[in-house]
Amino acid sequence: ESISVINIFLILGLIFFTNALTFWGIAGLKDLWKRTPSPLHSLNSLFSRLAHWVAALFGLLSILAVACLQIGLTSVDPSLGVPAFTFGTPPLFHILHVTMLPLFVLGLLMLTFSIVIWIRRVWRTGWRIYYNLLTVSAALMLWVFWFWKLYVPLP
């Protein structure tokens, strides 16, 4: 059994966002420990914080969406022993469909922030490239959700 390109897109996206959430969480805890948060006196620092928060929210919602998808597709009807989606909408699919619009909006915001970050040179080049990789993986994950028709409302 081979792994499909769609699964590779999802796995890479989850790895990128889990890595970013872990690293940014540790950096935030270090700032809290030192009690020296960076000041918000410039527009670049505002863009920096907003870009981090948008990417973090996208990462959390995408992890929630993939978990709901996995649970919904692997749940089994206890009386007949067949997959639950055989007889209708699986459990947690309603949560999955509710997360799709915020994911799309956050993905567009990530694209906007990645352009603004390059124009205003907010971070060093390596961090800008990393944020662009996050944006590309977010776009690939959104494409996967669109390919599976998860943006279509439930009946």
Side-chain angles (χ1 to χ4, degrees):
E1 200 176 303
S2 65
I3 213 166
S4 69
V5 173
I6 292 173
N7 289 338
I8 291 172
F9 288 164
L10 276 179
I11 291 168
L12 282 176
L14 289 175
I15 288 172
F16 267 116
F17 280 102
T18 305
N19 184 23
L21 287 171
T22 303
F23 180 74
W24 291 340
I26 290 171
L29 288 175
K30 283 183 181 178
D31 281 348
L32 282 177
W33 184 260
K34 291 179 186 177
R35 295 184 188 266
T36 56
S38 57
L40 264 179
H41 61 277
S42 71
L43 195 57
N44 281 350
S45 63
L46 177 67
F47 282 134
S48 175
R49 285 194 184 183
L50 285 176
H52 277 98
W53 277 105
V54 166
L57 284 174
F58 186 93
L60 290 173
L61 278 179
S62 64
I63 290 170
L64 175 69
V66 170
C68 288
L69 182 68
Q70 184 66 28
I71 291 170
L73 291 178
T74 58
S75 62
V76 176
D77 184 75
S79 61
L80 298 174
V82 295
F85 62 84
T86 306
F87 301 112
T89 306
L92 297 180
F93 256 54
H94 294 291
I95 296 173
L96 178 66
H97 282 281
V98 167
T99 61
M100 287 299 118
L101 183 62
L103 275 175
F104 181 72
V105 170
L106 289 171
L108 286 177
L109 283 172
M110 282 183 68
L111 178 65
T112 305
F113 280 130
S114 67
I115 293 169
V116 168
I117 282 169
W118 277 99
I119 291 172
R120 295 188 57 92
R121 298 181 186 265
V122 174
W123 298 317
R124 292 178 299 190
T125 306
W127 288 114
R128 286 183 273 172
I129 290 172
Y130 185 74
Y131 194 81
N132 277 352
L133 288 175
L134 275 176
T135 305
V136 167
S137 66
L140 290 174
M141 290 177 77
L142 289 173
W143 178 81
V144 167
F145 292 143
W146 173 81
F147 181 77
W148 282 338
K149 297 183 180 19
L150 296 177
Y151 290 110
V152 178
L154 291 174

